[in-house]
Amino acid sequence: MYAQVIVDIVHENVAHTFTYAVPEGMALSVGQRVEVPFGFRSKEGVVIALDERCDLPPEKVRPVTAPLEDYPAILPCLIDLARQMAEESHCPLAETLRLMLPAEMRGGRVQVKQQPVCRLAIPTGQVEEAMGQLGRSQKKRMLLQLLRDGEKHPVGEMRLVVREPLEPLRQLAEAGLIRLWQEEVLRQPGGSDPVEPVEDPPLTPSQREVLEVMAPSLQRGEGRFLLHGVTGSGKTEVFIRLVRSTLEMGRSAMILVPEIALTPQMVRWFRARFGAVAAVIHSRLSAGERFDEWRRIRRGDARVVIGARSAVFAPAERLGLIVVDEEHETTYLSDRHPRYDARDVAAWRCEREGATLLLASATPSILSFARARRGDYTLLEMPHRVLNRPLPEVEVVDMRRELEQGNRSVFSGALMARLRDCVAQGQQAMLLMNRRGYHSFVSCRSCGHVMKCPNCDVALTYHLAGGDGKLHCHYCGHAEPTPETCPKCASRYIRFFGAGTQKVEEELKKLFPGETVVRMDNDTTSGKDGHARLLDQFRSGQARLLVGTQMIAKGLDFPRVTLVGVVAADMTLNLPDYRARERTFQLLTQVAGRAGRGELPGHVVIQTYKPEDETILAAAAQDYRSFFEQEFARRRSGLYPPFTVLARLLVESDSPLAAQQHARALHERCQALLAAHPAWKKRTLMMRLDQPSVAMLRGKTRWHVMFKLLVHPETEAFAAALSELAREAAPRVETWFEYNPTTMM
Ligand code: ADP
Ligand code: ZN
Ligand code: ZN
């Protein structure tokens, strides 16, 4: 027998498989990891095929050293997935295969944890007699006594009663009275805190309807659905019922969430309903925990997988359902290499493994909703909150008027009054302040005018670090001086938009000296339990005021929150990104959805310098449809995705000169490519060499060649060629090809 092995080295020259002989008596299957000789060293690899014969001369074929596990670590369908991803993203199979394993498994950095256990080896009826024959050994008699129930006991348990029990246990085992062996133990994250099992609530009419529509597809293992359900419509309960049906059919289910740390409640609900069959995978697990959860899934002990993006590669067999919750979140796109979109991978697995796909959101992405409208997905809707709870009332406050009236605080009069009421009545409030670190736009505080690119209709940005003092557009490269006065109203109140969460926290503390204010942003939530600690403080009611960035907008369910304030809606609206409107609508709708989820109705205050903006108005009306129509038309006329593809070659180097020179060389080669391929040139709407707005990152200078391409099969071929260019090694520089990246910064 011969094994085709992908050796775990990512290098251009090792992009193909190697043939090894399978020694007599070694049983191997496809997907199994093996140790193989490679040059003068030993390497890990994955068996991707087994053949009876081999065309190579026998002296050229070396034998497999040993299998690394006694089971195939990678399921056959995941090998196919890796193959397809490697092909599509033009990268070596070794690289995509890595996605299918917990990182720590490679190089043996994590081991199976074992503990000694023992059990009686004689009938319980004979224990008395055996004890009589043990002579004077007090310890052995006690041990036999402990084991006389005939059950399996960890040796650790014996230690509570008998000091150093291992030696006497060994002697008992030698005498044939007990069995003593090593057994695997699983490190189970959070498994120690028991969750109360919960009764099913009766379903609401729209929950029941959605489940009825999906039931036949679920039974047949097919169907692609998009669930548009307003915030608080009870989507989680729908997922729970679908998962239950899937388990009843003997199949497994997967729930993808944007980020586990931000959805602790979802995890708690699933644990409460499904207990030990649920496995939770996320980045904050220890290496050992992640490995053990992965093995529980691999062995079929855990048949419900809950996890963020990378959980889509979990080795669940007989998959019947994949749910992607909050499907509009950009966290489903991996921007590390190899790049992938977890929603596409989910769709691929469903298709391949005969499972049902459900994408869900209160604010579906433009792309997914457009697909649903085209008939690629079946659209399901839950337009009302559970138990007839009303959607929150939304009030838009014009911050230009506040300035006119002499209010320079970050809070409008209306928001301040609402905050006072809320605190006085012992209720809770959440304040959103979405500040991005790297760049800043310029706007007029008198008239709300924002400095925009004349070519692109996106905000111009001022480069905070290492800039030239000008305003830049990083879609087309346009640059202009920063104005002293507003070009529209001549006011001198034109300036950078600056305040962040910290400023809001300070002002809140000034307004409510006695209150505890919880602040959640990237600075306060680092560490293993950073999120959980802060959220618990708010959940317990110990703190009544929560300030945070977009991380507070997602999935949280606090019944006592009656007020939500959006301190500066313009912050997201003016992000220099063609998706700024989509992000704004999502963010405002999601954060507004945190208000009034309990018995008490909610109120939302949106502060903005642009109260007439149609995206803000649609968000205030919580009207997804009208937002979708506006935005879809805007994308079409502006030639943005999904009508076009944005892409770039990104170059980074610790040498500014090397970065610039390499980017320039790439740009020239791209021009040559276009000259040689008229079909590609025809589909290229824009190609330019520039520095991204984040011109330096982690000490490296960055340059990019940006592209806007028409959606067309030729574009795929061009993209493949660009990706090849990026893979060529060059001294001192690193190059990436990005296809519809989440950001062009
Ligand atoms: P969504 O994800 O759609 O915003 P959730 O799933 O978080 O909504 O549900 C909102 C709230 O409604 C939760 O507190 C949940 O426990 C509750 N809920 C869901 N379904 C029902 C039901 N059928 N009856 C009563 N309460 C429900
Ligand atoms: Zn102005
Ligand atoms: Zn522009």
Side-chain angles (χ1 to χ4, degrees):
M1 278 297 245
Y2 296 89
Q4 302 292 334
V5 175
I6 292 285
V7 180
D8 187 22
I9 304 175
V10 174
H11 191 280
E12 275 168 277
N13 304 328
V14 209
H16 56 91
T17 55
F18 290 85
T19 305
Y20 290 90
V22 180
E24 205 65 42
M26 186 188 288
L28 282 184
S29 358
V30 169
Q32 213 162 337
R33 297 197 317 136
V34 288
E35 189 184 329
V36 290
F38 191 79
F40 296 109
R41 287 171 303 167
S42 178
K43 285 274 166 202
E44 292 181 355
V46 177
V47 178
I48 58 156
L50 288 162
D51 301 316
E52 296 281 346
R53 262 176 312 189
C54 156
D55 300 331
L56 295 166
E59 69 276 10
K60 286 217 155 175
V61 180
R62 297 206 269 172
V64 170
T65 314
L68 289 168
E69 289 95 14
D70 55 9
Y71 58 92
I74 306 184
L75 299 174
C77 84
L78 292 178
I79 293 184
D80 291 346
L81 174 60
R83 231 188 228 123
Q84 170 141 354
M85 288 177 70
E87 225 165 79
E88 278 173 7
S89 52
H90 315 282
C91 71
L93 185 51
E95 202 169 325
T96 50
L97 278 173
R98 285 179 181 177
L99 294 169
M100 312 296 159
L101 295 168
E104 300 81 6
M105 221 169 142
R106 293 171 39 232
R109 280 170 292 154
V110 64
Q111 244 79 48
V112 170
K113 188 171 158 190
Q114 292 200 318
Q115 67 174 11
V117 289
C118 51
R119 167 189 271 153
L120 206 58
I122 51 173
T124 28
Q126 294 173 19
V127 169
E128 209 66 43
E129 194 191 330
M131 284 196 351
Q133 294 167 0
L134 281 176
R136 281 174 304 150
S137 173
Q138 182 73 23
K139 271 191 182 180
K140 286 193 225 170
R141 266 205 300 272
M142 281 174 75
L143 289 166
L144 265 194
Q145 187 69 36
L146 287 170
L147 291 171
R148 73 180 307 164
D149 59 4
E151 301 288 323
K152 179 176 81 187
H153 293 269
V155 169
E157 197 178 289
M158 308 281 130
R159 286 205 179 94
L160 301 174
V161 187
V162 177
R163 282 179 55 203
E164 297 177 15
L166 210 52
E167 191 44 40
L169 282 170
R170 239 178 236 136
Q171 291 169 12
L172 286 171
E174 259 161 44
L177 297 174
I178 67 163
R179 268 192 350 103
L180 176 65
W181 74 101
Q182 291 283 330
E183 197 174 80
E184 221 182 289
V185 272
L186 293 170
R187 291 151 281 209
Q188 218 173 321
S192 45
D193 43 311
V195 187
E196 290 279 305
V198 170
E199 294 275 317
D200 287 356
L203 294 171
T204 66
S206 36
Q207 285 171 333
R208 200 173 315 122
E209 199 182 309
V210 164
L211 289 169
E212 273 165 18
V213 173
M214 288 186 70
S217 300
L218 199 65
Q219 288 296 328
R220 289 196 294 269
E222 60 181 35
R224 313 272 164 272
F225 296 89
L226 174 64
L227 171 58
H228 173 215
V230 299
T231 56
S233 57
K235 293 187 283 296
T236 314
E237 190 60 39
V238 170
F239 306 159
I240 289 173
R241 302 297 175 102
L242 290 170
V243 168
R244 172 140 351 113
S245 307
T246 308
L247 292 178
E248 280 164 6
M249 294 187 298
R251 309 189 69 164
S252 54
M254 200 179 262
I255 317 291
L256 301 179
V257 294
E259 201 186 318
I260 290 274
L262 299 177
T263 37
Q265 294 160 84
M266 166 96 92
V267 173
R268 213 171 301 139
W269 283 332
F270 269 82
R271 279 249 179 77
R273 301 291 188 83
F274 297 108
V277 298
V280 182
I281 299 194
H282 57 89
S283 56
R284 289 182 193 220
L285 295 182
S286 73
E289 287 168 344
R290 198 178 0 247
F291 179 47
D292 286 356
E293 286 292 82
W294 182 88
R295 278 185 310 142
R296 287 206 310 130
I297 300 164
R298 176 66 189 80
R299 294 197 303 215
D301 295 341
R303 292 197 294 132
V304 181
V305 179
I306 305 167
R309 177 173 76 213
S310 64
V312 75
F313 300 111
E317 280 184 286
R318 295 180 49 71
L319 207 51
L321 171 74
I322 301 183
V323 174
V324 183
D325 190 24
E326 313 282 2
E327 69 87 25
H328 61 277
E329 288 289 343
T330 50
T331 43
Y332 288 120
L333 286 157
S334 156
D335 35 25
R336 254 177 283 159
H337 221 73
R339 294 170 51 79
Y340 63 90
D341 182 334
R343 292 165 298 190
D344 293 341
V345 176
W348 188 94
R349 288 195 71 172
C350 285
E351 185 77 43
R352 169 62 193 264
E353 298 172 52
T356 304
L357 177 68
L358 175 63
L359 306 177
S361 174
T363 51
S365 61
I366 292 290
L367 187 62
S368 296
F369 201 81
R371 283 181 180 164
R373 248 195 2 179
R374 216 164 57 198
D376 296 352
Y377 304 137
T378 306
L379 183 64
L380 304 166
E381 295 190 273
M382 301 210 296
H384 306 291
R385 284 190 158 182
V386 298
L387 307 174
N388 296 321
R389 282 174 195 155
L391 278 168
E393 227 178 275
V394 182
E395 174 184 358
V396 177
V397 175
D398 184 348
M399 292 304 278
R400 296 171 302 195
R401 298 288 303 277
E402 297 290 319
L403 186 70
E404 265 171 41
Q405 290 161 6
N407 176 8
R408 302 227 188 136
S409 148
V410 297
F411 301 124
S412 60
L415 183 52
M416 242 184 276
R418 292 273 176 188
L419 276 168
R420 284 211 183 88
D421 270 4
C422 179
V423 168
Q425 290 173 25
Q427 296 160 4
Q428 293 184 304
M430 285 166 87
L431 292 168
L432 174 81
M433 182 71 221
N434 211 28
R435 193 177 115 93
R436 305 281 293 243
Y438 295 123
H439 55 74
S440 183
F441 64 95
V442 171
S443 74
C444 172
R445 293 188 67 177
S446 296
C447 75
H449 178 70
V450 173
M451 296 300 292
K452 286 197 168 180
C453 174
N455 313 322
C456 303
D457 193 35
V458 297
L460 290 170
T461 60
Y462 183 79
H463 297 196
L464 291 176
D468 54 5
K470 285 185 176 171
L471 296 175
H472 291 254
C473 168
H474 62 240
Y475 280 94
C476 74
H478 170 86
E480 60 184 70
T482 309
E484 300 279 320
T485 54
C486 173
K488 208 170 146 201
C489 77
S491 154
R492 292 206 287 124
Y493 279 108
I494 184 153
R495 55 169 80 157
F496 307 116
F497 222 92
T501 41
Q502 233 167 328
K503 175 96 162 88
V504 177
E505 182 190 17
E506 276 164 27
E507 290 219 11
L508 270 180
K509 282 185 170 156
K510 254 186 261 161
L511 277 173
F512 304 102
E515 290 293 324
T516 310
V517 179
V518 177
R519 171 163 66 96
M520 276 183 80
D521 55 29
N522 280 332
D523 299 331
T524 62
T525 55
S526 54
K528 196 171 158 146
D529 301 310
H531 285 103
R533 198 170 31 79
L534 292 174
L535 287 178
D536 282 345
Q537 215 181 338
F538 192 61
R539 189 194 323 278
S540 69
Q542 183 201 337
R544 273 196 277 263
L545 301 167
L546 173 68
V547 183
T549 55
Q550 56 185 347
M551 63 175 71
I552 66 168
K554 301 177 188 174
L556 301 173
D557 189 23
F558 296 118
R560 268 178 298 179
V561 171
T562 54
L563 175 65
V564 164
V566 178
V567 180
D570 310 71
M571 202 58 96
T572 346
L573 192 60
N574 293 311
L575 280 179
D577 186 323
Y578 74 91
R579 283 155 303 196
R581 289 180 174 278
E582 186 175 1
R583 295 270 158 77
T584 304
F585 183 83
Q586 287 164 353
L587 190 61
L588 294 182
T589 312
Q590 298 281 350
V591 75
R594 302 308 116 209
R597 294 172 73 89
E599 320 258 287
L600 299 164
H603 193 92
V604 180
V605 177
I606 297 177
Q607 303 191 151
T608 173
Y609 287 91
K610 235 176 151 201
E612 70 283 356
D613 182 89
E614 57 178 0
T615 302
I616 291 192
L617 289 175
Q622 300 170 76
D623 182 352
Y624 178 81
R625 287 291 180 132
S626 81
F627 164 71
F628 175 83
E629 299 301 340
Q630 293 164 18
E631 184 60 15
F632 199 65
R634 196 189 316 268
R635 297 276 179 94
R636 188 192 328 243
S637 63
L639 288 171
Y640 283 114
F643 299 96
T644 55
V645 170
L646 297 179
R648 68 170 171 178
L649 283 163
L650 177 64
V651 178
E652 286 186 7
S653 172
D654 46 22
S655 149
L657 190 64
Q660 186 176 10
Q661 280 176 344
H662 190 64
R664 207 171 270 159
L666 282 175
H667 186 234
E668 278 164 20
R669 292 186 58 189
C670 291
Q671 282 169 328
L673 276 178
L674 292 187
H677 296 86
W680 296 354
K681 182 159 189 172
K682 215 166 108 190
R683 271 98 202 175
T684 302
L685 299 175
M686 185 265 290
M687 172 173 87
R688 74 176 291 127
L689 174 67
D690 201 357
Q691 267 204 294
S693 68
V694 183
M696 282 271 273
L697 192 62
R698 291 177 220 103
K700 300 203 166 173
T701 301
R702 311 166 84 222
W703 279 83
H704 60 194
V705 186
M706 296 181 290
F707 301 88
K708 193 192 243 186
L709 310 166
L710 283 173
V711 175
H712 190 274
E714 287 293 342
T715 297
E716 297 294 317
F718 184 34
L722 292 173
S723 162
E724 290 292 312
L725 278 185
R727 297 197 63 78
E728 284 176 18
R732 296 196 70 179
V733 297
E734 279 189 287
T735 309
W736 291 271
F737 175 62
E738 299 184 333
Y739 190 86
N740 276 339
T742 45
T743 157
M744 288 278 227
M745 289 199 291

